[in-house]
Amino acid sequence: MAVHSLGDLGSLVRAFREHRGLTQEQLSKDAGRLPRTAIAHLEQGYRLPAAEHLRALAKHLSLPDALVEPFLRPSAARRVEFEAELGELIGQEVSIAHLDDQASQAVEGAVTSLIGAAITNHAAFDTLREIQVFYGIRPVSQQFFNRYFKADSFQDIGQFSAAVKRYQAEAIRLFPTFMQAYEEMNRASDLATLVAALGTRSLDEYRDRAPWNRIENIDEARLRDLGYIAAAKLDQERKEREELVKWLRDMAAFIRQNGRTSVEEFKPKRRREMESLLRKFGSRLSHGPMSALFSPAPEELEAEAERLAPKDEIDRARIAGTQATGLRNLSQYLAADHMDVYVATSMREDSDFVSVNQFVLRLFEHPEVKPLKLRYFNPTQSWVEDRIAKGLVEALMLRRSAATIYMAQKSDTFGKDSEASVALGQGKPVIVYVPKLEAPELQLDSSELAQSSEDDLRNILHRIDPAEVSQTMDREAMLGAILNRRLAAGTDEQIADVVARHWADFGLDTETDRFKETRGKYLEWLRGVMSNPNAPPPIPEGLRADIDGTLVATAVRFERRASLFREKHPLALQVILSTGVLNGILVARSVDSCATLLRKVFENNLDLELVRGEDSYRLIERTTQSTIRVISKHHLLANAFASYYASHAP
């Protein structure tokens, strides 16, 4: 086997290692405790190990001396390392396999004269172009060289690598492969124009706008009115609603007197009729009366009866007024001179309306965002009855907006996911906001804890409760245990305050199934919290443990979702259809973080870092560790993207 490049050597080492049935960890230990990363980087064709490490590997794997010796010569080692970075620059592996011995020696001499030598910018440019001729590569243009390189970029391989990474960090934002990026950027007659979209933008055009205050604010207490059908239709359904409400109240009274198991004594035909009406009017009960799991508390049935009851004249007038305001607001959204931000969300429960509205108001009143006078679509302040019109409105807002904010609630919906996918597919930034459990007074931040290492979590739990620690506990179990202990250390008053701050984001009004025999008491207390969050009522006896458990379970669920969005969610990466570039989402865990990201998005000034991984290149937003661009290292996939998107380069 001829070995000419670092990739060849890496493939050879991997083949010999796998033939012996060794893992990289085992080889690292057996060959004299070599760094495992040195073996991994060699096998991936990233980096040549230090000479002593390479000798140890060769000896342990019985690699032929003739194959390894050329890589131990200083000039050859420098050339191999240079080739690896040159391959990174052009997006494909380079090799001297096609050259004769004299040409190979000439290449090594040229690399020696470039890397580590005192050299001017002009000489570095000329020498790099000469070397590229040996490899059959399009020589760099003067514009390209001036943008990414300077004389000290060739002081050593590390400096050269840093310069190549600067290029890759920009190329990955514009092209689906580095191969295409290199060709297009060096062929461009005006490189500055080609990369202009990457420059920081002035925010003056936003600050200089006239304020836009056309939206009539709908009070939080009236937001639920937008969840009803048109007030005029309520009268048409009055008889059916009256019948359903009577049945719900009768059942509540029956259960309160006889116990839940007696529900089955209601005739199946009647229960089936009521289940149909519950579906028709959008019941929020977890299960219908025909389900074996139907076991609501009387208070739940009474609350549902109140919600579904036909409205009197005052209620209908209020609902009609709220909906009219929402319709007027919709007119303003449709006619707005700009539409900068679209908020993608789903609203089913009362808590959804409150959560979304509070988040939107806090975000756009934030000091980082408010001076920009952004136009944003707040779905809690808009209403239209027609389902088709609603979909068209959302499509238009999404098309006009420069950025989308996706509110990650307890579950996703097809509509919300589709909106985020469309935005990503258009090449627009998408920020996903995932709530977290935060209580500074209890030294509690679920997001901060969730990002701790497994060892750190185990140590934290050990300090809190050594008896709780088990080697079989995974990260999620340890996170839940820590959150539970920290909540348990709080007073009832502190926990009531935590619930008041989190009930809407956490949808605590839908968590009645967790309370079993105390659901009625919980609902009554929670309604008191919702109506008076600044002075929540005391926690009734017997509820504290279940309240703590509900907060923890919901917080852990949101941490799982945050991790999913950062790493594996189908929305995490979408192809920009016009260019083939993979566009990723930004994950924010607080209003402050979301506000900073949003300002940086409009400024085009995110804090980015290129990470070369085993299977891909990722462009990471440092503060949130979100992946916003990716290029795969799969060779055939890269070739396919380069072929099919080449004519669509920006």
Side-chain angles (χ1 to χ4, degrees):
M1 175 182 179
V3 180
H4 299 283
S5 67
L6 184 57
D8 290 341
L9 181 62
S11 297
L12 183 69
V13 169
R14 174 177 287 183
F16 272 65
R17 174 179 62 79
E18 291 178 346
H19 179 71
R20 293 198 173 195
L22 297 173
T23 65
Q24 290 180 347
E25 288 80 3
Q26 290 170 330
L27 178 57
S28 170
K29 181 179 178 181
D30 295 349
R33 298 194 178 278
L34 275 69
R36 190 203 66 81
T37 53
I39 299 172
H41 288 161
L42 172 58
E43 292 188 358
Q44 294 162 23
Y46 286 171
R47 191 173 301 119
L48 192 67
E52 62 271 21
H53 290 158
L54 182 57
R55 286 192 181 93
L57 274 177
K59 180 178 180 181
H60 189 76
L61 294 176
S62 300
L63 293 174
D65 291 342
L67 297 179
V68 178
E69 281 301 326
F71 294 92
L72 296 175
R73 296 195 322 268
S75 61
R78 185 183 296 109
R79 187 259 306 166
V80 167
E81 291 178 327
F82 173 80
E83 284 177 349
E85 289 302 327
L86 187 60
E88 294 284 351
L89 181 69
I90 69 169
Q92 54 187 323
E93 189 174 296
V94 299
S95 170
I96 60 170
H98 62 289
L99 299 179
D100 56 34
D101 289 343
Q102 287 72 29
S104 297
Q105 292 173 20
V107 170
E108 290 189 6
V111 171
T112 298
S113 68
L114 176 67
I115 302 296
I119 194 169
T120 65
N121 275 3
H122 183 77
F125 173 67
D126 288 343
T127 304
L128 178 59
R129 285 170 60 90
E130 290 170 8
I131 292 172
Q132 289 179 308
V133 172
F134 282 102
Y135 292 100
I137 299 169
R138 170 193 287 274
V140 295
S141 69
Q142 186 72 64
Q143 294 179 91
F144 185 92
F145 184 88
N146 291 344
R147 183 173 183 87
Y148 299 110
F149 298 101
K150 48 191 176 180
D152 62 6
S153 297
F154 303 96
Q155 286 182 351
D156 54 44
I157 289 297
Q159 292 285 82
F160 183 49
S161 177
V164 172
K165 281 186 176 180
R166 284 196 298 272
Y167 146 74
Q168 289 179 323
E170 293 195 343
I172 197 173
R173 297 169 65 184
L174 297 172
F175 296 92
T177 68
F178 292 130
M179 187 191 316
Q180 182 184 343
Y182 182 80
E183 288 295 318
E184 296 284 345
M185 295 173 84
N186 281 283
R187 188 169 57 223
S189 59
D190 186 354
L191 181 60
T193 299
L194 182 62
V195 300
L198 304 178
T200 301
R201 292 190 291 262
S202 169
L203 297 176
D204 289 345
E205 65 174 290
Y206 298 100
R207 296 189 182 100
D208 292 344
R209 289 176 177 174
W212 195 73
N213 50 10
R214 311 277 179 82
I215 301 303
E216 303 174 51
N217 184 59
I218 298 173
D219 187 78
E220 194 171 279
R222 294 174 59 186
L223 290 177
R224 63 183 298 178
D225 294 346
L226 301 178
Y228 291 113
I229 61 171
K233 290 189 175 180
L234 294 176
D235 284 339
Q236 300 174 18
E237 302 170 345
R238 174 171 290 276
K239 185 175 180 181
E240 289 179 325
R241 285 180 178 272
E242 287 175 343
E243 183 180 10
L244 175 60
V245 167
K246 182 179 184 304
W247 185 84
L248 287 170
R249 287 172 176 159
D250 288 347
M251 178 167 279
F254 188 85
I255 294 174
R256 186 174 276 115
Q257 181 178 349
N258 299 289
R260 290 191 181 87
T261 56
S262 301
V263 171
E264 295 180 358
E265 296 181 18
F266 281 71
K267 293 180 180 180
K269 179 182 178 182
R270 187 64 171 158
R271 282 190 282 151
R272 192 173 292 111
E273 292 172 347
M274 294 303 103
E275 185 162 288
S276 296
L277 290 178
L278 286 167
R279 278 197 298 270
K280 177 177 180 178
F281 298 128
S283 171
R284 295 173 183 173
L285 295 174
S286 301
H287 305 283
M290 293 304 296
S291 170
L293 299 176
F294 182 71
S295 59
E299 291 81 0
E300 287 181 277
L301 294 173
E302 290 166 347
E304 191 71 350
E306 180 182 348
R307 192 180 72 82
L308 298 178
K311 308 305 174 187
D312 60 26
E313 288 299 328
I314 296 176
D315 288 337
R316 288 202 304 278
R318 187 201 71 234
I319 293 170
T322 305
Q323 293 175 347
T325 302
L327 199 54
R328 287 195 299 273
N329 286 343
L330 175 62
S331 300
Q332 297 294 347
Y333 285 129
L334 290 174
D337 53 351
H338 303 278
M339 188 52 59
D340 302 303
V341 183
Y342 178 82
V343 180
T345 185
S346 57
M347 295 176 293
R348 292 193 175 95
E349 310 295 337
D350 292 350
S351 56
D352 294 332
F353 283 94
V354 174
S355 171
V356 173
N357 191 55
Q358 288 182 349
F359 167 77
V360 171
L361 293 179
R362 288 170 60 203
L363 174 63
F364 289 96
E365 286 295 313
H366 194 281
E368 291 267 21
V369 176
K370 187 175 181 178
L372 304 187
K373 301 172 187 174
L374 297 176
R375 277 62 161 153
Y376 57 92
F377 180 70
N378 182 349
T380 71
Q381 301 292 313
S382 170
W383 183 83
V384 63
E385 181 186 5
D386 179 50
R387 177 178 60 85
I388 294 176
K390 183 175 182 293
L392 290 173
V393 167
E394 292 170 348
L396 179 61
M397 295 297 106
L398 194 64
R399 177 67 181 85
R400 294 190 66 200
S401 298
T404 292
I405 295 177
Y406 175 109
M407 292 194 66
Q409 294 150 291
K410 284 186 175 180
S411 60
D412 299 330
T413 63
F414 175 75
K416 186 169 64 172
D417 282 0
S418 297
E419 290 167 351
S421 293
V422 167
L424 288 169
Q426 293 177 28
K428 298 177 180 179
V430 173
I431 300 173
V432 173
Y433 169 68
V434 186
K436 64 179 179 178
L437 181 59
E438 188 173 22
E441 65 273 25
L442 300 176
Q443 296 183 314
L444 194 156
D445 183 321
S446 61
S447 174
E448 186 178 300
L449 280 169
Q451 294 181 60
S452 302
S453 69
E454 194 164 322
D455 286 342
D456 285 343
L457 287 175
R458 186 169 282 109
N459 291 335
I460 292 170
L461 184 56
H462 186 271
R463 288 196 296 271
I464 296 173
D465 185 357
E468 180 72 16
V469 180
S470 166
Q471 292 302 314
T472 61
M473 294 177 78
D474 62 10
R475 291 177 55 86
E476 196 168 289
M478 288 189 287
L479 174 63
I482 293 168
L483 294 176
N484 222 317
R485 294 301 188 278
R486 289 191 175 171
L487 285 177
T491 65
D492 279 6
E493 290 75 14
Q494 288 175 320
I495 299 304
D497 286 336
V498 170
V499 170
R501 295 196 301 268
H502 292 78
W503 76 268
D505 280 348
F506 278 35
L508 296 182
D509 55 334
T510 67
E511 293 290 341
T512 55
D513 284 350
R514 295 183 182 275
F515 287 82
K516 300 179 182 177
E517 302 299 323
T518 59
R519 275 183 287 185
K521 190 189 297 186
Y522 168 71
L523 275 176
E524 183 179 356
W525 173 74
L526 186 60
R527 280 196 288 270
V529 173
M530 293 160 61
S531 61
N532 193 11
N534 294 323
I539 297 176
E541 186 177 353
L543 288 185
R544 173 64 188 273
D546 285 335
I547 290 172
D548 287 0
T550 301
L551 287 169
V552 169
T554 308
V556 169
R557 184 174 178 180
F558 274 126
E559 294 312 319
R560 191 186 310 138
R561 300 208 69 216
S563 175
L564 181 70
F565 276 112
R566 275 194 296 265
E567 299 163 16
K568 305 176 228 176
H569 196 278
L571 285 181
L573 291 168
Q574 298 287 312
V575 172
I576 301 173
L577 296 178
S578 61
T579 64
V581 174
L582 283 171
N583 191 16
I585 57 178
L586 294 155
V587 180
R589 301 305 313 279
S590 67
V591 172
D592 287 341
S593 171
C594 193
T596 300
L597 285 175
L598 190 60
R599 181 183 61 77
K600 285 180 174 290
V601 159
F602 280 93
E603 198 175 30
N604 205 27
N605 191 29
L606 292 169
D607 186 10
L608 303 174
E609 175 187 11
L610 183 86
V611 176
R612 296 174 178 174
E614 183 173 349
D615 301 314
S616 63
Y617 302 87
R618 296 185 300 142
L619 193 63
I620 305 293
E621 197 285 318
R622 283 192 179 95
T623 63
T624 63
Q625 289 298 293
S626 303
T627 300
I628 67 163
R629 292 290 189 273
V630 172
I631 286 180
S632 173
K633 288 189 174 181
H634 190 287
H635 294 302
L636 179 56
L637 184 59
N639 290 342
F641 265 87
S643 297
Y644 293 121
Y645 278 100
S647 61
H648 299 283

